[in-house]
Amino acid sequence: MSLPVETLAELREIAARYPEARSGLLPMLHLVQSVEGRVTAEGIETCADILGITAAEVSGVATFYTMYKRRPVGDYHVGVCTNTLCAVMGGDAIFERLKDHLDVGNDELTERRPEDKCTVSLEHVECNAACDYAPVMMVNWEFMDNMTPESAVQLVDDLRAGTEIHSTRGPRVVTWREAERVLAGFPDDLADEGPAAGAPSLVGLGIARTNGWTAPPASADAGSGRTADSKEEAVEQADTSRAETETKQEDSDA
Amino acid sequence: MADTLTPVLTDNWGDERAWTLASYEARGGYRALDKAFSMAPDAIIEEVKDSGLRGRGGAGFPTGMKWGFIPQDNPRPKYLVVNADESEPGTCKDIPLMMASPHTLVEGVIISSYAIRANKAFIYIRGEVLHVFRRVQRAVQEAYLAGHLGKNIHGTGYDLDVVVHAGAGAYICGEETALLEGLEGRRGQPRLRPPFPAVAGLYASPTVINNVESIASVPSIIANGHQWFASMGTEKSKGFGIFSLSGHVKNPGQYEAPLGITLRRLILLAGGMRDGHELKFWTPGGSSTPLLTAEHLDVPLDFEAVGAAGSMLGTRALQIFDDSTCVVRATLRWTEFYKHESCGKCTPCREGTWWLVQTLSALEKGQGSEADLDMLLDQCDNILGRSFCALADGAVSPIASSIQFFRDEYVAHLTGGGCPFDPALSTAWAGQEVNA
Amino acid sequence: MTLTSDSGATERTDLVTLTIDGVQVSVPKDTLVIRAAEQIGVQVPRFCDHPLLAPVGACRQCLVDIPDAGNGRGFPKPQASCTLPVAEGMVVNTQATSEVADKAQQGIMEFLLINHPLDCPVCDKGGECPLQNQAMSNGRGETRFEGYKRTFPKPINLSPQVLLDRERCIVCQRCTRFAEEIPGDPFIALVERGAMQQIGIAEDAPFLSYFAGNVIQICPVGALTSEDYRFRSRPFDLVSTPGVAEHDSCGSAIRVDHRRGKVMRRLAGNDPEVNEEWITDKDRFAFHYATESDRLTYPQVRDRVEDGGDGRLRPASWPEAFAVAARGLQAAGATGVLTGGRITAEDGFAYSKFARVALGTNDIDFRSRPLSAEETAFLAAEVVLRSSVTYADLEQASTVVLAGLEPEDEAGMVFLRLRKATRHGTTGVLAIAPGMTRGLAKLNARLLRTAPGAEAGALESLVEHARHGVDKNSIILVGERLATSPGALAAAVTAAARTGARLAWVPRRAGDRGAVETGCLPNLLPGGRPVADPVARVDVASAWGVDHLPDAPGRDADAIVAALLAGELGGLVIGGVDPDDTADPAATRAAIEAASFVVALELRETDVTRGADVVFPVAPVVDKAGTFVTWEGRPRSFEQVFASPSSLPDLRILAGIAEEMGRPLGFRTVAEARAQMEEIGPWDGDRATLEGLEPATPSQPGQAGGDFALSTWKLLVDNGSMQDGDKAYRATGRAPVARLSQAAYDAHGPTVTLTGDRGSVTIPAEPADLADDVVWVPANSFGNGVLADLASPGSRVTVTKGADQ
């Protein structure tokens, strides 16, 4: 076991944040990635030892979540959203262009050319909750909004050249390992960088302001808004058939 | 019928450094907290019940009622878990909320935890949004320093600790019991119910799991009263919500409005469809809600009316597609998503999505026959309601609804030997440049 | 048996009445719908469901229609009957009466089959496959799937024994749920996600569980196979015979599957009162010993030099061998009998009667391992005829105390039942042991840390300390290792008496308890009759039709060895004894050498048979009927699987010799022996007591020895000769290591040399939860074992840094 002792201490520190240590596993694996560059067999064993569970159990978790990588990723991990909306809005074209430009396939790492300062890995990602900025890319899980094939090519070229890049709605983009460390719960000092919101996030607010629209004043009274008095009624109003099943089952138990 | 916007949650997003405690408190933030502390916990639950707030994560279950299910005579600790795993395709409201005003969420967490008598709360944020994670973490840190969190909050004797937890890439963790599994350091696979989380959730203890927007709505309800909240919205869908418009409208973005506003109105506010194109299909609440078309433009966007129209309000994730978009391509891509995100636990979802993708991709390439469409529908029938959780139900929604509305377009793929659409025409930059 | 009206009333109030396929049925509350349906004869198809595993609802095959959940409203969609408890007034329609349910099930089956290879004709499971069978009964005739199937490189070794063909797997999770829930060995887990989800192990961490083979048996498809059985035969070519496992005192029901006179595999039988549906890997895979090349297949006699022969063993006919043995024993004079602990109760009865009637002696002992006079008295006073603790009782107990017993290694089914009790019930386990082990940790045991040899004090403390929670709802289980811990058995008896706890003795070998019951002890006659009791002797003598039985107190095994060496005994009848298992292997070997005439009854050629004057090949359990008595005192009878002319049951051999000696035993067959045992029955007179018992003393009291107390027991998988013949099985055993405290490990590890009064061994070490002056090694996992190569029972050893490897 050759993870640095400081890392072992930090792994234990993560586990100690939770009422039950195993809850720390997801952030612990993020930390393993920040140190090892991926989830290694050694990292899995170390987490298992600390948590008192088997390596198979840790392995089951490490292979379930897509952010955990078993092969090395680049200094900058570039994601292109190709879920339907972004794909239609141009994500597919961007992804094709980048594969071609970088000469890699999905979830692959670029070769480091003599002139490169940094490596880049490419992956198509699922919806990242920024559809109003479509097509969207991510670099080390920072938003790169409203991309085009051209801006995407420029972006990866800049990343490989080691040029400092800023997220369109966030801070200076840190390396993938640094990002993984933040996700493990060890903050860097970048929370205050970047804007509060991009333009699309504010578009409705702007229209409201322009038109003088606001929510009603606090004095408005429409009586009780209670929409359902019984669990059953609530369930019938709720959208999921799942919820319906639940309550009926509960009732049948009674 | 609502036709104006009502910024509440989005109201401060344009403020200078809106994410900071100073900015939030400058406009009255954390004042609801003191009001809440002056109330009995049960009174807060009643207030939220009376407001009519229904879960903003998609299902629309009454939030106050959910809180009321927590058995207060259970000696185990109670937990609040915030579902910030926003991943449903098209849904993009919680992420900007936490980015711009994380303190709204934190204040909501404190009030909600106090109401259900939890001393520990978790905010489970999907891992793929690093800066949002930073902002929420910083907000929690600031709240501790300001005495809004920790021991003896505001001198009330009430203690609360909040842990901000990063997920690691799994759509299924948006399902509340799968989220609990993830939070317990396990594979995010949904749990058998009963027991329900309210009785045995996190660490087998009574647990409330609420969506970000639901919790963020709580401070305004406490501050302004349930009547205020209930004065907005429709008969059974009270209050306001963030409507997320994306796709082929001129100004995609976040529009906060009372429930019941129509898509026609929202598209108008968004500057209309792209020039030269017409609305073809849209999702009312993410890709798991059956597609609707232009004939549904006047359906009030509340739980009841959208349901009556054959779909679901879901997360108000309005993905707008115009006539340049191939519905078969769109549906195939969503189906690939569900296949990718299927947790693998149950047969119909794991194997069904595997098969659906193969059938759909053949159809998209113009291979197969019209009989395959009926087989596809039969596969959907064998999946819908047969799986362990609702993921697979969502997976068949776009397929069944797209065949319902656009069967001819599927047939055109077969008769034309492939897709008749030029994907370049649907891109964001179509018409702006010659080559793509 | 009659039920009281009380219990009837209780049952009625707990019943729930529902309607399934139009048939009303009443079942206990909390019954799952899938099992309620079985009550009316409807088999709802299922894969993930297993009655001994927690419901999971994963495969969705068991969907049924519920038009009324018992509250007047139905479920809008079909429900999984394996996770749904019954409710009063519920209406269930299965595939038998509901098109909705039938279509739902066919839909699921179709999904399961799209990625399942159509290799049934070459699959081991073909012919006994739940997927194949239910696809026929509840599936579509033809597939509609025309796409590409999921494939994997095949197969992967989950362990040296268990292989996984991933493309056949339907991810029902029975195996992973078993591993986690039943033995607590989650070394296999679901890995990957979605359509690529599969069963996996971590890198370099194979599925090494003593109970791993069970996953093969419960796999509903052919995904899991054993190296041992894979590709060996087809289920429909096999004949199945029920049996009882011969490897421990648990009495597990097994199923022996054989073809043309050869055992092809063994499976767990289903006995809810004993092993439920599980067995150890030893019970499953260790059967090849009976077909090893050194198996004895004909009698042999030695042409003695003094009689003009060449001094070698030569083949002989059975009648000649009987005659030679009879003559030799008569000539040898006083003779002792060592039976070993693997005999059936019938064979034990024969040895017992042979000793008393044919040889006129009480010098008989089944214990071919360290023993003590304290134990001899304890067995007569507290064990024989007692059956106050059952497996089911373990689940009801408030506290189960373990002393001198490591259940995972020494009594696998006791371990599984205790684990079940501690997982689902309110049972706590308190272990009197030198340190926490993996097995004890899986029982969530509390440890009463006790150095080897100091168990008596710990047992005495149970009475004084309420915190141990030992009361009348408790059970104390003592292992055979307590025999050499001075005063421990007596202290256990006292503790049980004073707390009201029940006491049970859990020996290691299948024949041990039966040997106690049949009188293979110097102080006991069959049926628990004390040798010292004249009435008991007369009782047996009259039953046997002899004038009298020997009244001189007999010698125990150690004394028999000493007497042979001293020339006080001349003859020896010895069966199934490995000298290296005995308290003093060198002395035992010397005693065999010193004996003037040795009759050996053995399965395979051994050092004992090589030195014997007459060698009889005895039948292995597969070739004879018999009875093993479990640690609970529960008789477990089994019938013979094969009729093999090359060997005979011990009792038939003993009968043959006795007849030649002119003192017939009165039976020649197992059935006849059983009839005699039945006729004699249990003793209803006074039993022996522990009054005036001298506590056992360490064999070398006060010896200088080393700094470390030696703790040792046999691992479940070790070098035992009845585990020979399956390399894959052996490879699943735990590597032999010396376990030391962290401090001692740091000082002496990673390889240590242990030196005791019998020799030195150098083996790898690992840190463990032990006191700084205790070292543990496995008893029979290296060399000739601890007793032969390292140290005498209870002695101390020195530990030094081993040579670099």
Side-chain angles (χ1 to χ4, degrees):
Chain A
M1 211 171 290
S2 68
L3 284 175
V5 284
E6 312 85 69
T7 305
L8 298 181
E10 286 178 340
L11 288 170
R12 289 194 193 93
E13 184 186 329
I14 295 171
R17 289 178 201 152
Y18 298 88
E20 293 187 9
R22 186 168 173 170
S23 279
L25 183 51
L26 265 53
M28 285 165 77
L29 289 170
H30 281 305
L31 188 70
V32 166
Q33 296 207 117
S34 80
V35 175
E36 303 263 280
R38 63 192 173 96
V39 174
T40 55
E42 184 179 65
I44 285 174
E45 275 172 46
T46 306
C47 291
D49 282 350
I50 289 172
L51 299 177
I53 58 179
T54 67
E57 290 171 297
V58 176
S59 188
V61 172
T63 56
F64 185 86
Y65 297 93
T66 50
M67 289 177 77
Y68 299 133
K69 301 297 177 191
R70 280 163 275 175
R71 286 179 297 166
V73 297
D75 299 311
Y76 295 96
H77 187 62
V78 174
V80 180
C81 178
T82 57
N83 200 298
T84 300
L85 190 114
C86 276
V88 164
M89 300 293 286
D92 277 357
I94 293 170
F95 188 59
E96 288 307 313
R97 182 74 165 270
L98 287 181
K99 279 197 292 190
D100 187 53
H101 182 71
L102 296 171
D103 194 25
V104 294
N106 182 43
D107 214 6
E108 287 181 8
L109 176 63
T110 57
E111 266 180 45
R112 187 190 289 270
R113 301 165 303 184
E115 66 270 31
D116 289 347
K117 286 226 173 80
C118 300
T119 55
V120 163
S121 48
L122 181 68
E123 182 183 25
H124 70 79
V125 298
E126 298 298 356
C127 183
N128 226 75
C131 313
D132 43 348
Y133 297 88
V136 172
M137 286 175 59
M138 307 299 293
V139 177
N140 293 344
W141 310 116
E142 303 278 17
F143 287 114
M144 305 303 296
D145 301 325
N146 299 113
M147 298 300 288
T148 65
E150 291 70 32
S151 63
V153 164
Q154 183 64 49
L155 171 67
V156 295
D157 286 348
D158 287 347
L159 290 171
R160 294 178 93 179
T163 310
E164 186 172 287
I165 292 294
H166 285 255
S167 159
T168 44
R169 268 186 290 157
R172 168 178 65 80
V173 175
V174 298
T175 66
W176 184 77
R177 288 183 182 221
E178 289 167 340
E180 283 292 318
R181 183 173 170 79
V182 174
L183 293 174
F186 297 99
D188 54 19
D189 207 24
L190 301 178
D192 286 340
E193 286 196 16
S201 303
L202 300 172
V203 63
L205 178 64
I207 293 169
R209 293 271 195 274
T210 305
N211 292 288
W213 295 336
T214 60
S219 57
D221 189 349
S224 169
R226 204 176 277 224
T227 58
D229 286 320
S230 71
K231 211 189 300 180
E232 207 176 288
E233 206 183 326
V235 158
E236 262 153 31
Q237 289 171 15
D239 269 343
T240 60
S241 54
R242 184 78 216 166
E244 184 171 23
T245 306
E246 285 169 12
T247 308
K248 290 194 175 165
Q249 178 52 38
E250 263 186 298
D251 286 355
S252 71
D253 281 348
Chain B
M1 191 62 59
D3 58 2
T4 67
L5 300 176
T6 50
V8 177
L9 300 177
T10 57
D11 199 45
N12 63 333
W13 291 9
D15 293 1
E16 185 70 18
R17 293 169 65 85
W19 65 88
T20 60
L21 181 72
S23 170
Y24 185 67
E25 287 188 333
R27 53 156 52 229
Y30 286 106
R31 271 182 227 158
L33 196 50
D34 281 321
K35 184 168 176 194
F37 285 146
S38 72
M39 300 164 70
D42 282 336
I44 297 175
I45 296 178
E46 287 307 303
E47 188 74 9
V48 173
K49 277 184 185 169
D50 285 342
S51 76
L53 173 64
R54 293 170 63 176
R56 298 298 192 233
F61 195 87
T63 302
M65 186 176 288
K66 207 172 195 180
W67 295 1
F69 289 163
I70 294 293
Q72 291 298 339
D73 53 355
N74 187 318
R76 299 181 69 95
K78 322 288 181 290
Y79 294 108
L80 175 73
V81 177
V82 177
N83 184 345
D85 193 55
E86 182 167 68
S87 313
E88 168 76 12
T91 307
C92 48
K93 61 190 179 64
D94 297 339
I95 293 301
L97 189 155
M98 291 185 286
M99 180 95 95
S101 187
H103 284 286
T104 313
L105 174 64
V106 174
E107 187 177 13
V109 165
I110 302 166
I111 297 171
S112 307
S113 299
Y114 172 74
I116 64 165
R117 279 139 280 191
N119 299 111
K120 188 114 188 169
F122 298 87
I123 303 175
Y124 185 109
I125 304 179
R126 66 181 300 190
E128 302 100 321
V129 285
L130 181 61
H131 205 47
V132 169
F133 185 76
R134 281 195 191 99
R135 288 261 165 97
V136 175
Q137 206 176 36
R138 170 62 62 88
V140 167
Q141 186 188 32
E142 284 187 306
Y144 268 105
L145 292 172
H148 301 318
L149 283 175
K151 298 280 177 215
N152 191 20
I153 299 170
H154 292 197
T156 56
Y158 175 64
D159 303 337
L160 177 66
D161 284 311
V162 173
V163 175
V164 186
H165 180 95
Y171 165 69
I172 186 61
C173 286
E175 197 280 344
E176 62 180 16
T177 60
L179 183 147
L180 291 178
E181 289 288 295
L183 188 50
E184 289 187 6
R186 301 170 196 278
R187 296 163 62 79
Q189 298 193 313
R191 292 179 182 174
L192 196 61
R193 292 177 286 195
F196 297 94
V199 175
L202 187 66
Y203 313 130
S205 296
T207 304
V208 163
I209 303 141
N210 279 140
N211 167 259
V212 169
E213 192 184 352
S214 308
I215 293 293
S217 299
V218 170
S220 67
I221 292 171
I222 297 304
N224 300 317
H226 67 261
Q227 299 93 337
W228 167 81
F229 188 82
S231 73
M232 291 173 269
T234 59
E235 188 196 343
K236 289 185 169 171
S237 298
K238 296 297 184 189
F240 49 83
I242 301 175
F243 292 81
S244 309
L245 268 72
S246 59
H248 292 139
V249 291
K250 281 202 178 130
N251 297 310
Q254 308 301 324
Y255 296 80
E256 192 174 11
L259 301 189
I261 194 168
T262 65
L263 184 63
R264 186 183 299 283
R265 177 68 181 162
L266 285 166
I267 289 179
L268 189 69
L269 293 173
M273 299 294 293
R274 290 196 305 178
D275 288 337
H277 292 281
E278 286 178 5
L279 173 64
K280 183 175 176 183
F281 60 93
W282 55 289
T283 65
S287 60
S288 300
T289 60
L291 302 178
L292 296 176
T293 66
E295 65 182 274
H296 305 103
L297 274 169
D298 295 314
V299 172
L301 295 176
D302 66 10
F303 291 105
E304 289 66 38
V306 180
S311 188
M312 293 181 277
L313 182 63
T315 50
R316 290 148 278 121
L318 304 154
Q319 302 174 89
I320 315 289
F321 298 91
D322 69 19
D323 49 20
S324 68
T325 314
C326 172
V327 77
V328 182
R329 176 188 175 206
T331 303
L332 169 61
R333 189 57 58 86
W334 276 318
T335 309
E336 287 171 337
F337 163 76
Y338 289 108
K339 176 191 164 197
H340 182 253
E341 298 296 340
S342 169
C343 81
K345 179 168 186 161
C346 77
T347 308
C349 182
R350 181 185 66 240
E351 309 296 342
T353 53
W354 169 277
W355 189 0
L356 291 173
V357 165
Q358 292 194 31
T359 310
L360 272 169
S361 55
L363 287 171
E364 204 231 355
K365 294 191 196 92
Q367 298 158 359
S369 70
E370 211 176 329
D372 290 338
L373 287 179
D374 296 321
M375 188 185 74
L376 199 55
L377 288 173
D378 191 51
Q379 287 172 35
C380 291
D381 185 55
N382 286 340
I383 294 170
L384 182 68
R386 270 68 168 162
S387 54
F388 193 88
C389 77
L391 186 146
D393 290 357
V396 302
S397 284
I399 301 175
S401 57
S402 65
I403 295 178
Q404 179 192 344
F405 293 121
F406 302 101
R407 192 179 180 101
D408 289 349
E409 195 167 312
Y410 279 88
V411 174
H413 280 71
L414 297 172
T415 53
C419 182
F421 289 85
D422 176 0
L425 296 180
S426 62
T427 61
W429 54 84
Q432 293 169 17
E433 44 189 288
V434 187
N435 60 332
Chain C
M1 294 278 285
T2 49
L3 282 173
T4 67
S5 55
D6 275 358
S7 68
T10 314
E11 273 173 29
R12 265 196 300 280
T13 55
D14 282 350
L15 287 182
V16 170
T17 301
L18 69 163
T19 306
I20 303 177
D21 292 331
V23 179
Q24 223 176 46
V25 59
S26 296
V27 293
K29 187 175 173 294
D30 298 330
T31 301
L32 297 169
V33 168
I34 196 169
R35 272 180 257 303
E38 290 167 3
Q39 299 301 309
I40 64 152
V42 172
Q43 161 97 1
V44 180
R46 80 286 302 264
F47 296 106
C48 65
D49 173 72
H50 190 284
L52 296 178
L53 302 175
V56 63
C59 78
R60 317 302 291 173
Q61 185 59 56
C62 65
L63 296 171
V64 295
D65 192 28
I66 314 274
D68 184 345
N71 54 7
R73 296 195 311 272
F75 287 100
K77 295 288 179 185
Q79 296 295 302
S81 57
C82 71
T83 55
L84 186 67
V86 295
E88 188 66 37
M90 181 183 265
V91 178
V92 177
N93 291 327
T94 73
Q95 74 278 4
T97 56
S98 159
E99 278 183 26
V100 171
D102 190 43
K103 178 173 190 297
Q105 291 176 9
Q106 294 207 16
I108 299 296
M109 184 66 75
E110 187 178 30
F111 288 136
L112 281 173
L113 293 175
I114 64 170
N115 274 316
H116 191 79
L118 292 173
D119 64 345
C120 307
V122 297
C123 175
D124 280 310
K125 203 79 170 185
E128 58 176 9
C129 174
L131 179 61
Q132 190 180 38
N133 295 345
Q134 295 181 125
M136 302 303 282
S137 59
N138 301 85
R140 304 169 60 94
E142 296 287 330
T143 181
R144 296 182 294 178
F145 180 69
E146 293 173 342
Y148 53 93
K149 284 176 184 271
R150 190 166 52 222
T151 56
F152 293 100
K154 64 187 256 174
I156 55 174
N157 269 91
L158 296 180
S159 77
Q161 181 71 283
V162 183
L163 291 96
L164 168 65
D165 287 278
R166 285 170 292 177
E167 73 280 4
R168 287 184 189 148
C169 176
I170 56 168
V171 236
C172 69
Q173 308 176 43
R174 277 189 183 181
C175 57
T176 49
R177 286 151 64 213
F178 169 86
E180 184 180 350
E181 294 173 23
I182 306 299
D185 295 329
F187 307 124
I188 49 173
L190 289 176
V191 297
E192 307 292 342
R193 186 171 86 187
M196 294 310 292
Q197 181 177 253
Q198 53 192 275
I199 305 302
I201 51 176
E203 225 174 291
D204 303 324
F207 179 34
L208 296 182
S209 168
Y210 286 162
F211 308 91
N214 291 293
V215 303
I216 300 168
Q217 190 172 345
I218 61 173
C219 179
V221 296
L224 294 170
T225 52
S226 68
E227 187 68 56
D228 185 48
Y229 176 71
R230 190 177 163 82
F231 305 145
R232 297 295 196 284
S233 71
R234 312 311 315 269
F236 32 82
D237 290 335
L238 297 174
V239 177
S240 298
T241 305
V244 175
E246 73 277 43
H247 290 294
D248 59 25
S249 67
C250 294
S252 293
I254 57 169
R255 189 181 109 188
V256 181
D257 280 0
H258 50 96
R259 183 183 67 182
R260 295 194 291 277
K262 190 177 174 198
V263 177
M264 301 307 296
R265 64 174 177 182
R266 306 207 313 191
L267 301 174
N270 181 357
D271 190 331
E273 292 187 3
V274 178
N275 55 307
E276 303 198 294
E277 298 182 36
W278 319 124
I279 53 174
T280 63
D281 278 9
K282 193 195 275 191
D283 288 345
R284 186 179 302 271
F285 297 117
F287 59 84
H288 296 279
Y289 67 88
T291 49
E292 286 292 270
S293 59
D294 56 2
R295 167 89 183 268
L296 302 171
T297 54
Y298 47 82
Q300 298 169 78
V301 299
R302 188 176 301 280
D303 287 330
R304 291 151 59 112
V305 179
E306 52 266 48
D307 299 334
D310 60 3
R312 295 185 181 196
L313 285 170
R314 62 161 171 83
S317 69
W318 287 99
E320 184 192 10
F322 289 148
V324 171
R327 276 202 308 275
L329 288 174
Q330 280 168 325
T335 297
V337 180
L338 297 175
T339 74
R342 293 183 179 125
I343 47 175
T344 63
E346 293 84 349
D347 287 336
F349 180 72
Y351 277 109
S352 181
K353 186 169 184 183
F354 184 84
R356 274 75 188 214
V357 172
L359 301 174
T361 182
N362 285 315
D363 293 348
I364 177 169
D365 202 336
F366 70 92
R367 293 169 294 179
S368 57
R369 39 88 182 162
L371 55 93
S372 64
E374 179 182 346
E375 187 194 27
T376 311
F378 169 78
L379 293 176
E382 298 293 334
V383 173
V384 72
L385 299 179
R386 291 261 163 90
S387 49
S388 59
V389 182
T390 65
Y391 283 103
D393 292 339
L394 298 179
E395 290 183 49
Q396 303 302 323
S398 58
T399 300
V400 176
V401 179
L402 304 174
L405 176 65
E406 176 71 19
E408 193 187 20
D409 283 314
E410 299 177 296
M413 291 307 117
V414 171
F415 171 74
L416 290 192
R417 197 59 80 103
L418 284 174
R419 191 170 145 79
K420 184 183 182 192
T422 53
R423 259 173 68 82
H424 299 296
T426 52
T427 305
V429 169
L430 177 66
I432 294 173
M436 191 53 91
T437 63
R438 215 176 78 195
L440 293 175
K442 285 185 280 195
L443 299 177
N444 201 19
R446 283 174 297 146
L447 179 69
L448 193 49
R449 192 180 298 279
T450 308
E455 285 85 354
L459 284 158
E460 280 159 16
S461 79
L462 296 180
V463 182
E464 293 137 35
H465 296 293
R467 69 188 161 88
H468 294 318
V470 179
D471 57 22
K472 65 179 170 47
N473 295 319
S474 302
I475 291 170
I476 301 172
L477 297 182
V478 294
E480 65 181 32
R481 285 186 276 124
L482 279 200
T484 54
S485 180
L489 290 170
V493 172
T494 307
R498 289 179 55 189
T499 59
R502 283 170 290 164
L503 177 66
W505 177 67
V506 184
R508 270 193 70 251
R509 287 181 169 157
D512 284 343
R513 180 64 192 267
V516 173
E517 300 296 325
T518 56
C520 294
L521 277 171
N523 59 339
L524 278 181
L525 296 168
R529 291 165 177 80
V531 165
D533 186 334
V535 185
R537 289 200 304 276
V538 168
D539 192 37
V540 176
S542 65
W544 285 348
V546 296
D547 294 343
H548 68 282
L549 293 183
D551 53 3
R555 294 178 173 93
D556 66 21
D558 291 350
I560 289 171
V561 165
L564 285 164
L565 286 169
E568 294 162 19
L569 288 179
L572 175 65
V573 175
I574 183 166
V577 173
D578 181 345
D580 290 336
D581 287 339
T582 63
D584 189 344
T588 303
R589 286 171 196 277
I592 294 167
E593 182 74 18
S596 61
F597 193 79
V598 177
V599 175
L601 292 80
E602 257 302 354
L603 200 56
R604 292 160 61 193
E605 188 178 329
T606 66
D607 286 352
V608 174
T609 67
R610 279 186 285 271
D613 296 290
V614 183
V615 178
F616 289 101
V618 301
V621 283
V622 74
D623 288 346
K624 65 184 173 190
T627 301
F628 289 129
V629 184
T630 69
W631 62 272
E632 315 157 271
R634 181 196 304 264
R636 303 284 282 166
S637 296
F638 54 91
E639 296 309 310
Q640 95 178 13
V641 177
F642 303 129
S644 166
S646 61
S647 58
L648 291 172
D650 302 57
L651 66 86
R652 176 66 187 85
I653 294 165
L654 295 166
I657 302 170
E659 286 167 29
E660 285 293 325
M661 293 170 84
R663 293 167 192 161
L665 300 182
F667 52 79
R668 282 183 169 185
T669 66
V670 172
E672 288 164 1
R674 281 178 181 165
Q676 272 202 19
M677 292 162 75
E678 190 102 342
E679 192 187 317
I680 289 183
W683 175 237
D684 53 7
D686 292 342
R687 55 190 301 141
T689 66
L690 284 176
E691 299 284 314
L693 176 76
E694 290 286 313
T697 48
S699 53
Q700 287 160 302
Q703 46 123 6
D707 307 329
F708 284 76
L710 179 64
S711 170
T712 182
W713 59 78
K714 289 183 175 179
L715 296 176
L716 183 107
V717 182
D718 70 3
N719 291 344
S721 64
M722 282 170 74
Q723 301 167 65
D724 291 343
D726 184 345
K727 281 186 191 142
Y729 160 77
R730 271 258 164 75
T732 64
R734 297 174 187 171
V737 291
R739 305 177 73 212
L740 304 147
S741 72
Q742 184 71 53
Y745 174 84
D746 291 343
H748 306 296
T751 297
V752 293
T753 297
L754 309 182
T755 306
D757 57 356
R758 289 181 182 162
S760 284
V761 295
T762 299
I763 57 170
E766 69 178 27
D769 173 51
L770 288 169
D772 287 339
D773 60 350
V774 175
V775 59
W776 177 91
V777 288
N780 189 25
S781 299
F782 53 81
N784 295 312
V786 164
L787 291 167
D789 290 354
L790 182 60
S792 54
S795 67
R796 295 176 75 83
V797 296
T798 58
V799 177
T800 53
K801 203 169 177 61
D804 287 336
Q805 297 290 296

